[in-house]
Amino acid sequence: MQITEDKKNRLIVAITVAAVVLIVIFIAVIIYQMVEMVYIKNRKKDIQDQIDYYQEQIDNSEDELEILQSEEYLKEYLMKQGYGWETIK
């Protein structure tokens, strides 16, 4: 069976079109993956910033709690509320 020139040209065009479509699909997948990686990297940075912020808030609150629970603060608070020195002791 002989392949005519016309069939040969059609086969070459079909192979070329299939290769180009395949290359375009691969490029689209690669671009999608790169965009997804950038999004995940940015999201990770945002979450880490939030973690750092809340950790700082916890540390500040713990310091504040220690101050509020200290004996000196409690004595001062009671004095401001009108309790005398004798009732504080």
Side-chain angles (χ1 to χ4, degrees):
M1 179 169 151
Q2 287 285 47
I3 297 179
T4 63
E5 191 68 30
D6 190 37
K7 285 184 180 181
K8 185 177 179 182
N9 287 340
R10 286 183 190 177
L11 184 60
I12 291 173
V13 168
I15 291 173
T16 304
V17 169
V20 169
V21 168
L22 188 62
I23 289 171
V24 168
I25 290 172
F26 283 148
I27 290 172
V29 168
I30 288 171
I31 291 172
Y32 175 79
Q33 290 295 323
M34 290 174 61
V35 168
E36 188 71 18
M37 287 188 317
V38 168
Y39 173 77
I40 289 172
K41 181 181 175 184
N42 289 338
R43 183 75 176 126
K44 180 180 175 184
K45 185 183 178 303
D46 291 342
I47 291 173
Q48 187 60 47
D49 290 344
Q50 288 179 354
I51 290 171
D52 294 342
Y53 171 77
Y54 288 118
Q55 187 62 45
E56 184 178 328
Q57 293 297 319
I58 290 170
D59 293 342
N60 291 341
S61 296
E62 287 174 352
D63 293 342
E64 203 172 302
L65 180 63
E66 287 177 13
I67 291 170
L68 293 175
Q69 288 179 337
S70 69
E71 188 174 334
E72 294 83 22
Y73 178 82
L74 292 174
K75 285 180 183 179
E76 183 181 321
Y77 177 78
L78 289 173
M79 292 290 280
K80 285 181 182 177
Q81 296 299 318
Y83 292 96
W85 181 252
E86 296 77 29
T87 53
I88 296 175
K89 292 181 184 180

